[in-house]
Amino acid sequence: MKDYEKTTAFLGQWGPFQKIVFFLLCTSTVPNGFSAFSVIFLADIPDHHCQIPGTNLSYNPEDVNLTEIEQEKCVDGWMYSKHIYQSTIVTEFDLVCDDEWKQPFTSSIYFIGVLCGSFFSGQISDRFGRKPVLFVTMMVQTFFTFIQVFVPSWELFSVLFFIVGLGQISNYVAAFVLGTEILSGGVRVLYSSLGVCFFFAIGYMMLPLMAFLIRSWRMLLVALSVPGLIYIPLWWFIPESPRWLISQGKLEEAEAIVKNAAKKNKVTPPDIIFNEIGVNKYIDLLTDNIRRTTLILFLVWLTLSMGYFGLSLNTSRLHGDPFVNCFISAAIEVPAYVTSWLSLRYLPRRLSCSASMLLGGGVLYFIQLVPPSLPSLSVALEMMGKFGIAIGTALMFTYTGELYPTVLRNTAVGSCAMVSRVGSAIAPYFIHLSVYHEHLPYILLGTLCLLSSTTTLFLPESFNQPLPETIEQMQKRDRYYEVFCCFFFFTILKIFKAIYSKYSKIYKATSQTLDKYVFNIDNLE
């Protein structure tokens, strides 16, 4: 098919058919917001201490010099505070002390499942279609989330969590690509930037509310799995991608879907819609002419995923209430996705993506300048960093889908998502680097964001361009533009370095003043 969008232009962009597809596919991403961050509450570590035989009282050794006492393991088990949670998998399976490593590893197992799902679902979706993969993986996510309720051990919980992660990303990518290929023009941009991301954020925002009301991890899983059953009837309302059908040589099926869409939109289609087709040859993502684009996207997706999930999973460790912090972290995504939608409508892709990562990484650098007496400011800066990274994440889904042709689109997005899950898999351990230096995670993440911000400038531009159907239609890079980008980046880097140096000096002076002020108050007391 030489130009799918021109051929189907008689359908319009926002008729009843497009509205149905838009909203049904968007709502299918709500459970993904539950699943992606459920581990924040399922595996949180409450306050705990050794079990004292013969008593249920809390142990408060304020008058005991612990340095003079020989330490031993908690041979009688542990007692856990129920101030915040009735139970988590940590309290259920005693994931503390020698087994404390299992707590972050639980998150990593989930994201390893997401990684595998990203790889296999892209291949399967390009082979068997977007729609079957979407619904099969939705049921996998729902069913195995429910089965987790009955597990007797951490090991079995982790195995099932891996499968849940596999299903979660698979149906999200399938829904994203399906909507991108069915919708066109400004509606496609709205769907891929604001639509699926906004509904994902709705699920994310609902999670802390549900966790606040349901403090038991098993009952929370029940509540998170039930909504998935609602989506079964959508099979009869969501069509297969006509673009994919055409790429597979199934012209009659593609025409039937388009003619049904014309009927719903009350327009008259031509008698023959698709009358030209070529044979699609296999294309590798790492062939010579697209290798650099693919490798740059791998780096950017890896960085964004590490930042997005690292900052999201860190909410329970921040100053303040964990439920409120999680909600704020979710709510900050709404203006981020609105910003990404506006950027996609009016700004070039390279500039938007680069600026968002520059914002996210730059703000994280300044967290180390915040005095310890202002923890709320640190939280605010971290949320601002999450804001920039969330914008970049939403933009990259759309940008990546626009760069690759139909025969590679799902595989490309799935492969980028797979690489990004390497970042999300190590994110739980990444935030633990604060044990060695309080601000080390922010410094490293800020550096990666700035590096990715630079490399994004060397991608082809797809703004106001139709989706490519073949490898020949992929957008080409502008060499002169790349030279300009290098000069621009190093100029910005020098400006940023000067600002950082200036505020670093101000911070030191302010810290010394605050220390003297606190010292004087202590003397007065």
Side-chain angles (χ1 to χ4, degrees):
M1 211 38 246
K2 293 298 183 183
D3 196 329
Y4 174 86
E5 294 192 16
K6 287 183 179 179
T7 305
T8 58
F10 64 88
L11 289 176
Q13 292 188 6
W14 193 235
F17 171 76
Q18 288 91 346
K19 292 176 182 178
I20 291 173
V21 170
F22 184 97
F23 288 108
L24 292 185
L25 285 177
C26 284
T27 56
S28 73
T29 64
V30 172
N32 290 302
F34 297 156
S35 176
F37 302 105
S38 61
V39 72
I40 294 175
F41 301 106
L42 295 176
D44 200 8
I45 304 177
D47 293 335
H48 57 280
H49 56 75
C50 291
Q51 175 77 37
I52 303 173
T55 179
N56 289 323
L57 298 176
S58 60
Y59 185 45
N60 188 20
E62 293 180 353
D63 300 326
V64 179
N65 188 353
L66 297 179
T67 59
E68 299 178 359
I69 300 177
E70 183 179 355
Q71 296 186 12
E72 64 177 9
K73 295 182 179 180
C74 296
V75 294
D76 298 300
W78 296 265
M79 293 185 66
Y80 299 94
S81 169
K82 294 189 176 181
H83 175 66
I84 298 178
Y85 306 103
Q86 287 297 314
S87 66
T88 68
I89 63 169
V90 172
T91 66
E92 184 88 9
F93 306 123
D94 291 327
L95 307 184
V96 293
C97 296
D98 289 345
D99 287 334
E100 187 174 359
W101 64 271
K102 295 180 179 178
Q103 191 265 349
F105 190 57
T106 304
S107 302
S108 295
I109 289 174
Y110 173 84
F111 289 117
I112 291 172
V114 173
L115 185 153
C116 295
S118 302
F119 177 75
F120 291 111
S121 67
Q123 304 287 336
I124 295 173
S125 182
D126 281 340
R127 176 66 182 86
F128 297 103
R130 306 351 183 176
K131 181 179 176 179
V133 171
L134 170 63
F135 283 92
V136 169
T137 53
M138 283 175 65
M139 291 311 302
V140 167
Q141 177 183 339
T142 300
F143 177 74
F144 285 95
T145 298
F146 183 73
I147 294 298
Q148 282 183 294
V149 175
F150 307 101
V151 297
S153 65
W154 173 79
E155 289 76 11
L156 184 54
F157 176 91
S158 299
V159 171
L160 296 177
F161 213 26
F162 171 87
I163 301 174
V164 171
L166 190 150
Q168 187 267 347
I169 189 61
S170 300
N171 68 67
Y172 185 85
V173 171
F176 172 82
V177 173
L178 182 57
T180 299
E181 293 183 346
I182 292 178
L183 303 170
S184 61
V187 177
R188 183 180 68 232
V189 173
L190 177 65
Y191 171 81
S192 58
S193 60
L194 184 58
V196 289
C197 297
F198 178 76
F199 279 80
F200 178 91
I202 289 176
Y204 186 5
M205 287 188 289
M206 292 174 63
L207 174 64
L209 175 61
M210 298 172 72
F212 177 79
L213 297 175
I214 306 173
R215 305 296 180 97
S216 168
W217 72 272
R218 293 185 188 270
M219 293 308 299
L220 179 59
L221 282 174
V222 173
L224 297 180
S225 62
V226 169
L229 300 176
I230 301 174
Y231 298 100
I232 296 177
L234 300 188
W235 173 270
W236 290 274
F237 297 94
I238 297 177
E240 180 57 274
S241 166
R243 289 180 188 264
W244 177 82
L245 291 170
I246 293 170
S247 71
Q248 301 299 307
K250 301 178 180 180
L251 293 182
E252 292 184 0
E253 295 180 40
E255 284 203 2
I257 291 174
V258 174
K259 288 181 178 180
N260 182 55
K263 182 179 179 180
K264 290 181 179 178
N265 288 356
K266 298 180 180 180
V267 296
T268 304
D271 293 333
I272 299 177
I273 302 175
F274 307 118
N275 56 11
E276 181 184 352
I277 188 168
V279 178
N280 290 315
K281 60 181 180 179
Y282 175 77
I283 305 171
D284 192 340
L285 287 175
L286 296 178
T287 52
D288 291 339
N289 51 344
I290 59 175
R291 182 187 297 121
R292 188 167 74 163
T293 295
T294 301
L295 293 177
I296 290 175
L297 289 173
F298 281 175
L299 171 64
V300 173
W301 280 68
L302 177 73
T303 300
L304 288 172
S305 182
M306 186 183 299
Y308 179 78
F309 285 98
L311 297 178
S312 298
L313 296 175
N314 194 45
T315 53
S316 61
R317 301 170 180 269
L318 297 177
H319 174 76
D321 186 275
F323 301 104
V324 174
N325 288 338
C326 183
F327 179 81
I328 293 174
S329 180
I332 200 70
E333 296 188 13
V334 176
Y337 296 145
V338 173
T339 303
S340 69
W341 170 59
L342 294 173
S343 299
L344 289 169
R345 287 200 64 182
Y346 302 110
L347 298 176
R349 305 293 189 250
R350 289 179 294 202
L351 176 63
S352 302
C353 295
S354 181
S356 66
M357 286 181 282
L358 187 64
L359 170 64
V363 170
L364 293 178
Y365 265 123
F366 284 97
I367 290 179
Q368 60 186 304
L369 303 180
V370 177
S373 58
L374 298 174
S376 297
L377 180 57
S378 295
V379 174
L381 289 176
E382 183 165 329
M383 292 300 105
M384 181 59 68
K386 170 77 179 293
F387 174 77
I389 291 174
I391 293 174
T393 302
L395 291 173
M396 288 311 299
F397 263 100
T398 303
Y399 194 11
T400 303
E402 292 177 345
L403 289 177
Y404 290 94
T406 300
V407 291
L408 264 184
R409 188 168 297 117
N410 208 108
T411 297
V413 175
S415 297
C416 288
M418 177 194 71
V419 172
S420 76
R421 299 320 169 196
V422 175
S424 58
I426 65 177
Y429 293 98
F430 194 80
I431 59 180
H432 277 273
L433 292 176
S434 58
V435 173
Y436 304 100
H437 187 283
E438 182 181 1
H439 300 113
L440 183 58
Y442 302 118
I443 295 172
L444 294 178
L445 184 56
T447 302
L448 284 172
C449 285
L450 294 179
L451 176 62
S452 298
S453 174
T454 307
T455 58
T456 303
L457 297 173
F458 296 94
L459 290 170
E461 183 56 72
S462 62
F463 183 52
N464 284 337
Q465 300 294 327
L467 286 180
E469 304 293 339
T470 65
I471 192 69
E472 291 78 14
Q473 294 177 0
M474 289 184 66
Q475 306 302 320
K476 308 301 180 184
R477 294 182 297 269
D478 186 340
R479 301 288 182 181
Y480 295 103
Y481 173 82
E482 292 178 354
V483 173
F484 169 76
C485 288
C486 289
F487 173 78
F488 176 77
F489 171 74
F490 286 113
T491 301
I492 293 295
L493 192 61
K494 288 182 179 180
I495 295 173
F496 176 79
K497 182 179 179 181
I499 295 174
Y500 179 81
S501 176
K502 177 182 178 181
Y503 279 94
S504 179
K505 294 177 181 178
I506 294 175
Y507 163 70
K508 291 179 181 178
T510 304
S511 297
Q512 293 174 356
T513 303
L514 286 174
D515 290 341
K516 292 179 181 179
Y517 177 72
V518 173
F519 176 76
N520 291 334
I521 291 179
D522 291 339
N523 288 338
L524 289 175
E525 291 177 349

